[in-house]
Amino acid sequence: GGMAKVVNVCTSTDCASKGGKHVLKDLEDMCAGTSCEARGTACLNHCGKGPNVEVRIQGKAPKVIEKIDSLNAIAKVLKSEAGVEISKLEKQVAEIKYEARRAKTAQDRDEKLQKAFKVLGGEDAAGKTDARLASQLLVMRARERMEKSAEDALSDAVKAAELFQASAEPFVLLGLIYEKLGRWDEAMNSAEEAVAKGDQREANGIVRRVKQKTPQQDEDAIRKRQEEEKAEKARKEQEEEEEKKKKAAAAKKKAAQAKKKKAEEEAAKKQAEEEARRKAEEEAAEARRKAEEEARRKAEEEEARNRLEGEKRERLQRARAEAAEVKRIAEEAEAIKRQLEEAAAKEARRAAAEQERVARESSLQGRLTACCRTPAVNGDDAE
C-alpha cells in the first residue's frame, strides 16, 4: 500500500552521521500534502557517499541518489525525480528550517524558528498565511521545548494539530507529550490518530509502550505527574515572584530615575533662574555703571564747557582791559604828542619871537652903529 511516489532516506549509521535523519525530516515536511511520501529506510549500500535517498515511483525501477547534503539537492530530487515542486514561500521557510535543524545550540534553533515565523507574517498570522508551514514550525518548536517542559510543548502541539489535521506529525508529537505527562488515554488516542494518518514509526512505538503500562506504573506515573505538576507550579510561582521582584525593582529604579530627573530638572531650573538673576544684576549694574559714566562725562563736559566759558570771558575781559589800556596809552600818547606839539609850537613861536626880537635888536643896533659912525654934512645933519 501507500503512495505511488516514495522517497526513502537512508538512516543507517554512515548516512545518519552525515545528517540523514535531518534530511528525512526535511523531506517529510516538504512532501506533506503532496503526492509523494518520505520514509526512513535501512542502508542503501552506497556507504561513504551519503546522505543517500532512494526514489520509488510506481511502474519504474528504484533509483538511488547520493550526496543529498543541501536543501537545493533535496528540492532537486523532489522536482526532477518525483515531480514535486515547492513554492517560493515554502522554499524560504524550508531554508530556515534546514539551518535550524542543524544549529548547534537551542538558542540558535529558537532564533531561526522565530525568523521563519516572521517570513509567514509573524506567529499570530502564520496560520492564515500557510497553515501547513505554520503547523510544521510549531511541531519543531514543540519538540525542542518538550525536552525541558512537556506542558510548554503541549500548547504548540495542540495548535499544530488544529492547523494541519492531515499530517500525522502533530499527533505523533501529542502522543509523545501525553506519554511524558503520564496521560495514557490521550497518549494512546493521539498515537492511534497518527497511525491512521500514515505514521508507522514513532506512533506505533507509542502505542506499544502505552499498552505495556501496568496499574502500578499508572500510579507511579500519576504520582510522578503530580510531583512534576507540583514542581512546575512551584517553578511558575517562583518565576512569577521573581517577575514581581523584577517589576518592583524596575518600578523602583524608574521612580528613582524619575526622582533623579526631577531633581536634576529642578536644579537646572534653579541654576537657570540663578543665572538669569545674576545676568539681570550684571546687566543692571552695567546699566548703572554706564549711566554713572554718562553722568560723569556730561558733568565733566559741562565743567569743561564752563571752564572754557570762564577762560573765554577772562580772555575777553583781559582783551578788553588790554584794549582799554592800549586806548588809554594811545590817548595819553596823543595827549603828550599834542602837548609836545603845542610845546614845540610854543617854543617855535618863542624862538621866532626871540629871533625876531634879536633881529630887531640887531637891526636897531646896526642902525645905531651906522648912525654914530656917519659924519655930519651940515649943521642941520649934525644936529
Side-chain angles (χ1 to χ4, degrees):
M3 289 193 175
K5 298 176 185 177
V6 178
V7 179
N8 291 317
V9 181
C10 177
T11 56
S12 65
T13 305
D14 186 62
C15 282
S17 70
K18 292 180 172 65
K21 291 182 179 179
H22 290 320
V23 172
L24 175 59
K25 283 293 182 184
D26 294 326
L27 278 164
E28 283 177 342
D29 280 359
M30 294 166 79
C31 289
T34 71
S35 60
C36 186
E37 182 182 359
R39 299 174 185 170
T41 188
C43 184
L44 295 171
N45 297 317
H46 285 251
C47 298
K49 300 176 182 179
N52 303 316
V53 302
E54 178 190 57
V55 180
R56 285 182 173 268
I57 299 175
Q58 196 170 21
K60 292 184 180 182
K63 182 178 180 180
V64 175
I65 303 169
E66 300 169 346
K67 204 170 177 60
I68 307 302
D69 58 358
S70 69
L71 187 68
N72 285 336
I74 294 170
K76 186 177 179 182
V77 167
L78 287 177
K79 183 178 179 181
S80 61
E81 303 298 333
V84 175
E85 189 167 0
I86 63 173
S87 68
K88 183 179 178 181
L89 179 64
E90 184 173 358
K91 181 79 178 293
Q92 282 183 276
V93 175
E95 284 173 350
I96 300 171
K97 288 195 294 180
Y98 183 91
E99 293 174 1
R101 286 194 174 102
R102 291 155 181 82
K104 299 298 182 184
T105 65
Q107 181 180 350
D108 196 12
R109 288 191 289 274
D110 187 63
E111 286 175 358
K112 283 180 168 55
L113 288 175
Q114 291 304 317
K115 184 179 176 182
F117 275 119
K118 285 182 180 178
V119 172
L120 297 177
E123 192 171 334
D124 293 336
K128 293 179 182 178
T129 305
D130 192 309
R132 178 171 63 85
L133 295 178
S135 175
Q136 290 171 356
L137 290 174
L138 288 167
V139 166
M140 285 184 69
R141 190 169 70 182
R143 280 189 179 275
E144 187 75 29
R145 289 180 172 179
M146 187 173 65
E147 300 301 320
K148 291 183 179 179
S149 171
E151 288 288 350
D152 288 346
L154 183 58
S155 61
D156 277 354
V158 169
K159 190 173 180 181
E162 290 173 353
L163 284 172
F164 193 50
Q165 295 185 10
S167 174
E169 181 69 10
F171 295 94
V172 170
L173 187 59
L174 281 169
L176 291 170
I177 293 170
Y178 286 135
E179 182 184 10
K180 190 172 184 181
L181 293 172
R183 293 161 65 171
W184 312 120
D185 290 343
E186 290 164 298
M188 180 63 78
N189 292 337
S190 298
E192 288 176 345
E193 184 75 19
V195 171
K197 293 180 185 296
D199 188 286
Q200 301 298 320
R201 286 185 303 116
E202 287 185 287
N204 280 326
I206 297 168
V207 170
R208 285 194 302 273
R209 289 195 300 274
V210 171
K211 283 181 178 178
Q212 291 169 0
K213 297 294 178 184
T214 64
Q216 180 60 44
Q217 286 174 317
D218 288 348
E219 290 177 11
D220 291 344
I222 291 169
R223 186 166 56 254
K224 184 180 178 182
R225 185 174 76 246
Q226 288 174 342
E227 288 173 356
E228 287 176 351
E229 288 175 351
K230 186 177 179 181
E232 181 67 14
K233 184 179 178 182
R235 183 184 66 80
K236 286 185 177 179
E237 286 177 352
Q238 185 178 358
E239 286 179 353
E240 288 174 0
E241 185 63 28
E242 287 175 357
E243 187 64 24
K244 285 181 182 177
K245 286 180 181 178
K246 284 181 183 177
K247 287 181 179 178
K252 187 176 179 181
K253 184 179 178 182
K254 189 176 180 181
Q257 288 174 340
K259 186 177 179 182
K260 183 181 177 183
K261 186 179 179 182
K262 185 178 180 182
E264 288 174 349
E265 288 174 351
E266 288 178 352
K269 183 181 177 183
K270 187 176 180 181
Q271 185 178 357
E273 290 174 351
E274 286 290 329
E275 184 66 20
R277 183 183 60 76
R278 183 187 62 76
K279 190 175 180 181
E281 288 176 353
E282 288 178 353
E283 289 175 351
E286 181 67 13
R288 284 196 300 273
R289 185 185 65 77
K290 286 182 178 179
E292 288 172 358
E293 284 183 357
E294 182 66 15
R296 185 165 57 252
R297 185 184 63 76
K298 287 183 177 179
E300 288 173 353
E301 288 178 354
E302 184 66 23
E303 184 180 353
R305 213 169 25 250
N306 292 337
R307 186 169 60 251
L308 289 173
E309 288 291 330
E311 290 175 355
K312 187 177 177 181
R313 283 195 298 273
E314 287 177 3
R315 286 197 298 272
L316 184 60
Q317 288 173 357
R318 281 200 301 273
R320 286 175 178 171
E322 288 172 356
E325 182 67 15
V326 168
K327 185 178 179 182
R328 183 184 64 75
I329 291 171
E331 288 175 349
E332 286 180 356
E334 186 65 28
I336 291 170
K337 181 181 178 184
R338 284 197 301 274
Q339 288 175 0
L340 289 172
E341 288 175 348
E342 288 174 359
K346 187 176 178 182
E347 181 62 26
R349 285 195 302 275
R350 187 191 65 76
E354 180 66 23
Q355 187 177 6
E356 186 180 354
R357 185 186 64 76
V358 169
R360 278 197 311 270
E361 286 180 355
S362 178
S363 177
L364 183 58
Q365 185 69 36
R367 281 197 307 270
L368 285 175
T369 301
C371 184
C372 288
R373 287 180 179 176
T374 306
V377 174
N378 50 50
D380 293 333
D381 290 335
E383 292 177 356

